[in-house]
Amino acid sequence: MMTIQEAKEKVCEAGKLLLKEGLVARTWGNVSIKVSDTQMVITPSGRKYDELTPEEMVLVDIYTLKYEGKLKPSSELKLHCEVYKTRPHINAVIHTHQLYASIVAAAQKDVVVLNVEHQKILGAKTIKAAPYALPNTKKITVETAKAIEQSNAALMSNHGVVCIGKDLEDTFEVARTLEKACELFIASKKQTA
Ligand SMILES: [Zn+2]
């Protein structure tokens, strides 16, 4: 695992990359890296990603939600914590509102992953959609963690997606692949309609 300082730099960079790659709009979405069995570094709440600095990243205890930092952690930190508890071997979590996945999430449908390469990266043939619940509630965090038990991504109905991996690079690859898989899935539905 990396040091807290390294993680802060990586998470900050990742926030900017999310914006650049079009995986989030404005400040929506958040990134975290696990730095020990009980701690993660996460993007702060309410900051524009293009202005982020590493010092603004927030160190959070996964079990108590206590944090250290100048700014408050992302309001969706509970989601990250619950995912780390459910999948102890993963080290990075990205939550986005990326376009194609959000379209499928708005339909509250599971994604059938049609491409075999995509299945490998996403770790499953179907990406589940957690049932709709209000943001930042116990229900949404528990349901989303349940939906990601057997795969590297899950949809959150009417909201967005969560992607996981052994490191941040891996997790970005999952997020990009999920976009492609959702685009294909939507196209396949149009053909049969
Ligand atoms: Zn969100």
Side-chain angles (χ1 to χ4, degrees), residues 9 24 32 41-42 47 53 72 78 91 94 96 101 104 109-110 116 125 134 142 153 157 164 166 170 183 190-191:
E9 282 161 21
V24 293
S32 70
V41 167
I42 189 166
R47 289 279 283 129
T53 63
K72 274 193 193 170
K78 283 185 216 154
N91 295 306
I94 300 179
T96 74
V104 183
K109 280 201 168 77
D110 292 349
V116 180
K125 290 181 179 171
L134 286 173
V142 169
S157 291
I164 60 177
K166 65 177 185 332
D170 220 34
E183 192 181 356
K190 277 186 188 147
Q191 274 167 11

Side-chain angles (χ1 to χ4, degrees), residues 8 17 22 31 45 50 54 59 64 66 68 74 76 86 89 99 101 104 111 119-120 139 142 145 175 180 182 190 193:
K8 285 186 173 178
L17 193 59
V31 181
S45 161
D50 49 1
L59 180 67
T64 65
K66 283 197 182 126
E68 282 168 36
S74 159
E76 290 174 296
T86 307
H89 300 296
L99 181 64
V104 183
V111 185
Q119 290 174 2
K120 275 187 212 158
K139 185 167 161 51
V142 169
K180 289 183 203 152
C182 288
K190 277 186 188 147

Side-chain angles (χ1 to χ4, degrees), residues 172-188:
F172 264 94
E173 194 53 29
V174 169
R176 290 183 200 110
T177 305
L178 181 63
E179 269 308 82
K180 289 183 203 152
C182 288
E183 192 181 356
L184 273 181
F185 178 66
I186 293 165
S188 75

Side-chain angles (χ1 to χ4, degrees), residues 29-30 76 95-97 156 159-160:
N30 26 76
E76 290 174 296
H95 165 60
T96 74
H97 304 119
M156 302 161 74
H159 181 158

Side-chain angles (χ1 to χ4, degrees), residues 73-143:
S74 159
S75 61
E76 290 174 296
L77 86 155
K78 283 185 216 154
L79 173 68
H80 291 247
C81 293
E82 200 62 34
V83 171
Y84 285 121
K85 286 190 236 169
T86 307
R87 299 291 303 269
H89 300 296
I90 63 122
N91 295 306
V93 174
I94 300 179
H95 165 60
T96 74
H97 304 119
Q98 54 197 61
L99 181 64
Y100 287 112
S102 295
I103 292 170
V104 183
Q108 310 200 3
K109 280 201 168 77
D110 292 349
V111 185
V112 179
V113 183
L114 301 163
N115 178 300
V116 180
E117 282 306 309
H118 295 169
Q119 290 174 2
K120 275 187 212 158
I121 295 165
L122 297 172
K125 290 181 179 171
T126 304
I127 299 302
K128 287 186 191 157
Y132 179 73
L134 286 173
N136 312 322
T137 55
K138 172 108 185 137
K139 185 167 161 51
I140 188 107
T141 59
V142 169
E143 292 290 353

